[in-house]
Amino acid sequence: MAPLPQNILTQIDEAVAHYTAKLSVFEADAENLRTRLLGDAVLKKSIHSVKWRVKEPSHLHDKLVRRAVKAAEENVVFAVTKDNVFDSIHDLAGVRLLHLHMKQVETIHPRLVQFFTEEGYIQHEPPEAKTWDLEYEKLLTGLGLSVKRDESLYTSIHYKVRQNSTNPRTCELQVRTLAEEVWGEVSHTINYPHPTESVACKEQLKALARFVSGCSRLVDSIVASHED
């Protein structure tokens, strides 16, 4: 990999510094969304817990370097600057809504769409679901969600929202089962910000993904049996 030119490195440093100066604002955005989600009477019945975080400045730096390298390899302009970094990177603030079983998505997703409208949030783009499970794919597409097959073998729905139409800051909301969160935490520990090079770890993560999917499916079955 050829080294990036100094002007691009400076451009990245300026964008990261701009974000770092606004870190507390992004923290407030994420905490505000978390509080409002927990305060919603409909969602509260399906929520197990809600977590939030903001991206570490060093992780943003790594992400921008990767983007700049890819832009150079594809011979295109690396266009992220301090003036547009909030418009270009959409996961600087993140919230995760965790629930127990997949059938709850049938309540959670439509309510979230209403919630965003009622609370004045603007969806930056249509939500996207990620899964590798054909049965879950059928459930998610049945709700009108765009579904992407995910090679890392996990299931989650991603929403990107702004607090209002003039606010450039985006918060990413991820909705997944508590079992899928186990996979996410393990994967994040060894696979972020740089993917592991261990073939064994990659295969074990895929095995874990299948295991937690089985856990989610078992919880679905337990709840259905209880309701019967």
Side-chain angles (χ1 to χ4, degrees):
M1 181 182 73
L4 293 170
Q6 185 57 50
N7 65 309
I8 296 297
L9 293 174
T10 299
Q11 185 175 322
I12 291 172
D13 288 342
E14 289 176 347
V16 173
H18 182 55
Y19 166 63
T20 303
K22 296 287 187 179
L23 200 59
S24 62
V25 180
F26 280 92
E27 290 175 343
D29 288 346
E31 174 63 20
N32 184 47
L33 178 56
R34 172 189 175 275
T35 301
R36 291 161 82 173
L37 288 169
L38 287 171
D40 184 83
V42 176
L43 290 172
K44 194 172 183 179
K45 295 177 182 179
S46 299
I47 291 175
H48 172 273
S49 53
V50 182
K51 303 168 66 176
W52 68 271
R53 62 102 183 113
V54 293
K55 187 178 287 294
E56 291 287 340
S58 61
H59 292 175
L60 174 60
H61 186 276
D62 285 345
K63 185 170 190 172
L64 295 180
V65 167
R66 292 195 300 272
R67 280 201 180 187
V69 169
K70 183 178 180 181
E73 291 173 346
E74 296 175 352
N75 198 29
V76 297
V77 175
F78 174 68
V80 181
T81 69
K82 65 181 180 63
D83 296 321
N84 65 19
V85 62
F86 299 160
D87 282 317
S88 303
I89 308 297
H90 302 131
D91 63 345
L92 296 175
V95 176
R96 273 176 279 176
L97 186 161
L98 307 178
H99 56 101
L100 288 179
H101 58 94
M102 279 298 292
K103 192 170 178 59
Q104 290 173 309
V105 170
E106 294 176 347
T107 299
I108 293 172
H109 171 64
R111 179 54 195 162
L112 278 176
V113 174
Q114 293 178 333
F115 170 85
F116 293 142
T117 300
E118 293 171 2
E119 296 294 322
Y121 283 95
I122 305 296
Q123 291 199 63
H124 177 74
E125 59 189 36
E128 180 182 72
K130 298 183 179 183
T131 191
W132 60 279
D133 188 302
L134 293 178
E135 290 185 27
Y136 287 158
E137 181 176 347
K138 183 178 180 181
L139 184 154
L140 295 166
T141 54
L143 293 171
L145 285 159
S146 171
V147 179
K148 178 181 179 181
R149 296 281 180 88
D150 194 86
E151 293 182 0
S152 59
L153 304 186
Y154 86 116
T155 298
S156 182
I157 308 173
H158 295 188
Y159 306 80
K160 296 174 182 176
V161 297
R162 290 175 169 156
Q163 288 192 347
N164 55 64
S165 59
T166 61
N167 187 345
R169 300 187 307 275
T170 305
C171 188
E172 182 181 59
L173 172 64
Q174 298 182 359
V175 177
R176 64 179 67 155
T177 65
L178 194 59
E180 292 287 352
E181 179 67 358
V182 172
W183 179 92
E185 287 293 329
V186 174
S187 177
H188 190 276
T189 299
I190 69 169
N191 240 359
Y192 194 84
H194 302 291
T196 179
E197 295 182 359
S198 168
V199 174
C201 282
K202 291 177 182 178
E203 292 304 312
Q204 289 163 355
L205 278 173
K206 289 181 180 179
L208 179 61
R210 294 183 176 92
F211 179 78
V212 299
S213 179
C215 288
S216 292
R217 197 178 297 279
L218 179 58
V219 176
D220 286 341
S221 177
I222 292 170
V223 171
S225 297
H226 175 70
E227 291 176 348
D228 287 343

